[in-house]
Amino acid sequence: SHYTGRHEELRRLDAFAASDEVRVVAVTGVGGAGKTSLLGRWLKQPTALRQRGVRGLFVWSFYENRSFAELSKALLQFGEEQFGWSPPRDFDAGGSSIANLLVRLCRDVPLCLLLDGLEVVQGDHNDERHGMFLDQELGEFLASLARQQVGLTLLTSRFSFADLNRFRGLGFAEMLLPRLSPTEGADLLRRLDVVGETEDLIAASTALQGHALALRVLAASARRQKGALIDFRVEQEDSV
């Protein structure tokens, strides 16, 4: 496996999943920091989710489709096809929003929802609504999940979740993903078949500030050069 490090973050995800007080977990950080990779790695060893009683995994990428209506349709279809779920007779579909219908599904069936790339549906840095959801129904849905669901919802974004801050410690937890340490970055390069002395790999990791995606791009370039690595130690000395 090319995954490396993040032991503390993986441990924290296990702890969140084991807690009845946590229902929505957000992983935030700069683009390319490895938020999606971290959750993908964690989901490959789903012991904590099994102990929580989770029966199914639903994944949605907002990078590929920003429509909450389409997400809703896909999630309801998933519930029906995989678990035979349909709204109970006492549910007032006509007088309830689609968000309420989805919450009812997540109350009835213990699911893990992975909603990736939410920054594309949040206000950006130049918006007075920075970090707030641009779709009101999406915001209502996630706020309701923070209050009540039997499974676990995982979110990723480059931005913090302004709409969910009021639920911190009340169903919502947010984890800022730091950059890789120099040693973790060096380990990643070695796992990606980059050839070099440890000090050279550490220098490269330091020069790229532990940015996971940048390190992968560097590794791909090095492989095209038969594993050769730019001498970042020389570059760093020249810049002093």
Side-chain angles (χ1 to χ4, degrees):
S1 172
H2 291 159
Y3 200 84
T4 185
R6 304 300 195 195
H7 302 297
E8 173 61 20
E9 288 78 13
L10 292 167
R11 185 197 65 75
R12 290 183 65 190
L13 288 170
D14 282 342
F16 288 144
S19 173
D20 294 334
E21 303 301 316
V22 178
R23 291 172 285 278
V24 176
V25 176
V27 179
T28 60
V30 298
K35 301 179 291 293
T36 306
S37 296
L38 171 69
L39 292 177
R41 172 70 173 183
W42 184 68
L43 289 168
K44 287 181 179 179
Q45 299 176 330
T47 303
L49 287 180
R50 291 198 189 101
Q51 292 175 343
R52 193 179 178 108
V54 167
R55 295 173 56 198
L57 172 65
F58 176 86
V59 179
W60 186 267
S61 171
F62 282 92
Y63 296 127
E64 297 180 7
N65 191 333
R66 301 184 183 192
S67 170
F68 178 63
E70 291 296 320
L71 180 157
S72 303
K73 180 179 178 181
L75 181 53
L76 291 173
Q77 183 176 354
F78 177 76
E80 179 180 2
E81 293 180 352
Q82 299 297 318
F83 304 100
W85 185 88
S86 60
R89 293 181 181 179
D90 63 350
F91 187 82
D92 181 10
S96 299
S97 68
I98 188 66
N100 289 336
L101 183 59
L102 296 177
V103 171
R104 184 60 182 260
L105 165 61
C106 294
R107 284 175 52 193
D108 292 344
V109 183
L111 299 175
C112 177
L113 310 183
L114 171 53
L115 308 182
D116 188 35
L118 279 150
E119 69 267 14
V120 300
V121 291
Q122 293 174 274
D124 64 21
H125 291 292
N126 299 318
D127 193 324
E128 62 180 9
R129 300 180 62 199
H130 174 55
M132 299 178 68
F133 295 116
L134 302 178
D135 187 308
Q136 183 177 348
E137 278 202 308
L138 173 61
E140 291 176 357
F141 172 51
L142 295 178
S144 295
L145 290 182
R147 293 191 298 265
Q148 50 181 334
Q149 69 169 309
V150 292
L152 186 69
T153 296
L154 306 171
L155 314 176
T156 74
S157 177
R158 298 181 185 185
F159 307 144
S160 185
F161 290 90
D163 299 278
L164 300 178
N165 279 336
R166 66 187 187 277
F167 298 109
R168 286 181 183 271
L170 300 171
F172 173 65
E174 186 171 327
M175 181 170 66
L176 177 63
L177 189 63
R179 296 174 185 266
L180 294 170
S181 71
T183 302
E184 289 174 335
D187 189 30
L188 175 60
L189 289 173
R190 195 172 297 286
R191 288 173 182 265
L192 291 169
D193 301 322
V194 176
V195 178
E197 298 295 330
T198 297
E199 62 186 39
D200 294 325
L201 301 183
I202 289 177
S205 176
T206 301
L208 294 176
Q209 299 181 336
H211 190 278
L213 181 58
L215 288 166
R216 289 180 180 276
V217 172
L218 174 64
S221 175
R223 286 197 298 273
R224 288 194 293 271
Q225 302 299 323
K226 298 182 179 180
L229 187 66
I230 299 171
D231 192 341
F232 281 92
R233 289 180 299 164
V234 172
E235 289 196 353
Q236 288 176 330
E237 290 170 2
D238 290 344
S239 65
V240 175

